[in-house]
Amino acid sequence: MARQRSASLSSNTSICRYQSAADTTDLLLGPAKTTHLHFFLHDTLSGKDPSAVLVARGGSRTPKPDDPVPFGSLYATDDVLTEGPQRESKVVGNAQGLYISSGRAQLSLVLGMDFELTDGPFNGSAFVVYSRNTVVEHPVGRELAIVGGRGKFRMARGYALLRTHYLDNNNGDAIIEYNVTLHHH
């Protein structure tokens, strides 16, 4: 019986230590905040200076009309973020990372991207998206997961609601509207 009490006491001590660490999060990182962001991402695959370039293509798949990003295509990106849908709008940041075409029957992407803001009160801060983007299935509205952040978005979590503003099915160029909700410290 004495052994059971010792085990129980050890177990409770661990729980108490864990709860103490959780209670100090606000003290160490500051209070939790919610931030809403709105911008447009310009993903350009065509022209002399594309913002997304092909890194690898799976199998014998090649781009064709209505399938500019065939299944298995991996792209590296350095996309511009602007206040409005026009490319001449004020630049507010960039999105760097990778996406892979993951849908065999229709355009669907898996994104791993870092969205850094370069203007305003969050200049130098970034959040990270890692999620599936079902472009064709939900062109009017889709949701991506926000899994982290840095700077003023430290420990970010949240979601981004996307709407396709423009998509050229021949070359893959796109302008995507982002409405982002971030919970961070």
Side-chain angles (χ1 to χ4, degrees):
M1 208 173 213
R3 286 184 188 171
Q4 287 179 343
R5 285 186 193 147
S6 295
S8 178
L9 183 58
S10 287
S11 178
N12 288 339
T13 304
S14 296
I15 291 170
C16 289
R17 270 192 243 132
Y18 176 75
Q19 289 173 337
S20 295
D23 292 340
T24 61
T25 300
D26 283 353
L27 293 173
L28 295 172
L29 299 174
K33 302 172 191 85
T34 298
T35 299
H36 300 281
L37 302 170
H38 177 257
F39 54 81
F40 291 83
L41 177 140
H42 298 261
D43 190 48
T44 306
L45 282 71
S46 68
K48 293 180 182 181
D49 190 24
S51 64
V53 295
L54 182 66
V55 174
R57 179 165 286 134
S60 61
R61 307 247 180 195
T62 57
K64 55 188 173 200
D66 293 331
D67 191 15
V69 184
F71 175 69
S73 300
L74 175 66
Y75 286 82
T77 66
D78 187 1
D79 293 334
V80 174
L81 308 177
T82 62
E83 279 187 349
Q86 297 78 21
R87 180 57 188 89
E88 300 76 29
S89 297
K90 181 179 179 182
V91 174
V92 296
N94 62 59
Q96 295 181 351
L98 300 169
Y99 62 79
I100 188 164
S101 181
S102 56
R104 287 185 290 170
Q106 60 187 359
L107 182 58
S108 179
L109 308 170
V110 173
L111 300 161
M113 296 178 79
D114 179 278
F115 289 74
E116 182 175 36
L117 301 181
T118 57
D119 188 63
F122 301 110
N123 184 11
S125 297
F127 61 90
V128 176
V129 168
Y130 188 84
S131 200
R132 186 172 130 188
N133 181 355
T134 53
V135 178
V136 175
E137 193 175 315
H138 303 286
V140 176
R142 49 206 188 272
E143 183 175 325
L144 303 183
I146 295 171
V147 298
R150 57 187 166 81
K152 291 184 180 176
F153 298 141
R154 184 175 290 150
M155 295 183 67
R157 62 199 183 289
Y159 58 93
L161 298 176
L162 279 61
R163 185 181 68 81
T164 301
H165 181 78
Y166 169 81
L167 175 62
D168 185 324
N169 281 325
N170 290 317
N171 63 22
D173 290 355
I175 301 170
I176 310 299
E177 182 177 15
Y178 274 71
N179 282 293
V180 177
T181 299
L182 293 169
H183 303 287
H184 57 96
H185 287 274

